[in-house]
Amino acid sequence: MEPECGLALSARKVEYLKFIFETGGTVRTSEIASAFNVDPSTITKTLAELAAAEYIRHVPYHGVCLTKTGEQHAEFLVKRHRILSLMLVRNGLLPRDACNEASRFESQVTKKAVDRICHFMGHPRQSACGEITHDEDCLERGRGTQS
Amino acid sequence: MEPECGLALSARKVEYLKFIFETGGTVRTSEIASAFNVDPSTITKTLAELAAAEYIRHVPYHGVCLTKTGEQHAEFLVKRHRILSLMLVRNGLLPRDACNEASRFESQVTKKAVDRICHFMGHPRQSACGEITHDEDCLERGRGTQS
DNA sequence: CTTGTTTTTTGGAGTATCCCCAATTTTAAA
DNA sequence: TTTAAAATTGGGGATACTCCAAAAAACAAG
């Protein structure tokens, strides 16, 4: 695994991908556009990039859905957000603020770091903004493995 | 105080400003360029922007030094880095990794959040990467003040 | 005090990531 | 089948980075 694993997507793309994941199924351009208050044409362009990277399948004029890869990655993105939010809450922030701060910086935090924080916190199931599910990687990591 | 206080500078500018602060006195373009492994012309341009924002004074062909504002801000930047690094160490990361992760995302963390984390951690004097000094704002914040 | 080396700056250009508007295309409902 | 809504395309702009080549300034040595 590359050391910078988890930094492939920009902050904005992370937000869009999480939104698609959480909405579920086929998501329309207009849904994303209004959720983030940006012009639909901006969404179309970003979706094209996410599709090129094979995170989503885009049927023009109909909407997008996650690929298998996209879904796995989105699971990580959501977990990362929740682990970081929880860490902030456990370090003195209000849930709402924790969530906002995390959204701003989470795209810059590696998977390795998230797994270690997760392990340190005892693989919690509940965050400030939703449930946390744990993958194999995460459950293994953190004890002796400094890689 | 604006809610987004602390987000004025890009990640790169934060790094440059911290470097100028930590080097101290008058810093030359070439010093910054070699420290970050970028072309000197890139530094000249960024310094022009930092000078326009009045964080530094730039005497062409001679170097830059911090303004009063720049120095105060740099103190905050260094403290933010150290508080976040320390939080990561206290949440399971190795000091080196904590420092690297923090450098990547710190530019997106508000002063408000830093003050609360700092308060929560008991205004520590020592981080993974240096001493921490505390300002008035920080010592006041966090108890009841949710602003 | 002038030549030659080093440092810095200027000007030009490219990439990436955002964003919006206007016009066109497609879909879907009346 | 006409028409309104949704989506896309094409064009353009902003910010934040980056580098290279050429000009300018500084400085040291002779």
Side-chain angles (χ1 to χ4, degrees):
Chain A
M1 194 180 327
E2 320 89 73
E4 306 233 317
C5 181
L7 309 183
L9 296 176
S10 68
R12 217 44 171 159
K13 290 200 181 91
V14 165
E15 292 301 312
Y16 294 163
L17 213 57
K18 284 194 298 179
F19 178 82
I20 295 166
F21 177 71
E22 285 170 339
T23 301
T26 296
V27 183
R28 319 213 62 176
T29 298
S30 55
E31 290 181 74
I32 309 173
S34 60
F36 292 94
N37 237 284
V38 297
D39 194 279
S41 64
T42 301
I43 301 299
T44 300
K45 277 162 185 165
T46 308
L47 292 181
E49 291 168 13
L50 286 171
E54 308 211 42
Y55 289 109
I56 59 174
R57 246 183 307 278
H58 185 199
V59 181
Y61 296 101
H62 288 277
V64 292
C65 60
L66 295 171
T67 60
K68 186 69 191 154
T69 308
E71 194 166 317
Q72 284 167 356
H73 200 68
E75 272 165 27
F76 161 67
L77 300 181
V78 168
K79 179 186 167 175
R80 177 171 66 182
H81 174 75
R82 292 181 182 169
I83 287 290
L84 295 173
S85 289
L86 181 57
M87 175 181 69
L88 293 175
V89 167
R90 289 193 181 179
N91 282 273
L93 266 66
L94 298 174
R96 214 186 109 79
D97 291 340
C99 194
N100 287 337
E101 296 282 339
S103 294
R104 236 184 275 108
F105 73 73
E106 64 193 33
S107 70
Q108 300 303 313
V109 180
T110 63
K111 173 152 172 45
K112 177 184 165 187
V114 173
D115 284 347
R116 291 196 129 247
I117 294 164
C118 184
H119 176 77
F120 180 87
M121 294 200 299
H123 302 290
R125 295 183 180 285
Q126 193 63 39
S127 173
C129 41
E131 286 181 19
I132 300 169
T133 53
H134 304 285
D135 56 77
E136 284 312 309
D137 249 44
C138 165
L139 293 171
E140 278 164 38
R141 176 113 54 180
R143 276 153 301 188
T145 328
Q146 313 268 303
S147 66
Chain B
M1 194 180 327
E2 321 89 74
E4 305 232 317
C5 182
L7 310 183
L9 295 176
S10 68
R12 216 48 170 152
K13 290 199 181 89
V14 166
E15 292 301 311
Y16 295 163
L17 213 56
K18 283 195 298 178
F19 179 82
I20 295 166
F21 178 70
E22 286 171 339
T23 302
T26 296
V27 183
R28 318 215 61 176
T29 298
S30 53
E31 289 181 74
I32 308 173
S34 58
F36 292 93
N37 238 285
V38 296
D39 193 278
S41 65
T42 302
I43 301 300
T44 300
K45 275 161 187 167
T46 308
L47 292 180
E49 291 167 14
L50 286 171
E54 308 211 43
Y55 289 109
I56 59 173
R57 245 183 308 278
H58 184 198
V59 181
Y61 296 101
H62 288 278
V64 293
C65 60
L66 294 170
T67 60
K68 185 70 191 156
T69 308
E71 194 166 316
Q72 284 165 354
H73 200 70
E75 272 165 27
F76 161 66
L77 300 181
V78 168
K79 179 186 166 175
R80 177 171 64 183
H81 173 76
R82 292 182 181 169
I83 287 291
L84 294 173
S85 290
L86 181 56
M87 176 181 68
L88 293 175
V89 166
R90 289 192 182 179
N91 282 272
L93 267 64
L94 297 174
R96 215 187 111 79
D97 291 340
C99 194
N100 287 337
E101 295 282 340
S103 294
R104 238 183 273 108
F105 73 74
E106 63 192 34
S107 70
Q108 300 303 315
V109 181
T110 63
K111 175 155 172 42
K112 178 185 165 189
V114 173
D115 284 348
R116 291 196 129 248
I117 294 165
C118 184
H119 175 77
F120 180 87
M121 295 198 297
H123 302 292
R125 295 182 179 286
Q126 193 63 39
S127 172
C129 41
E131 285 181 21
I132 300 169
T133 53
H134 305 284
D135 56 77
E136 284 312 310
D137 249 42
C138 163
L139 293 170
E140 276 162 38
R141 176 113 52 180
R143 277 152 302 191
T145 328
Q146 312 269 303
S147 68

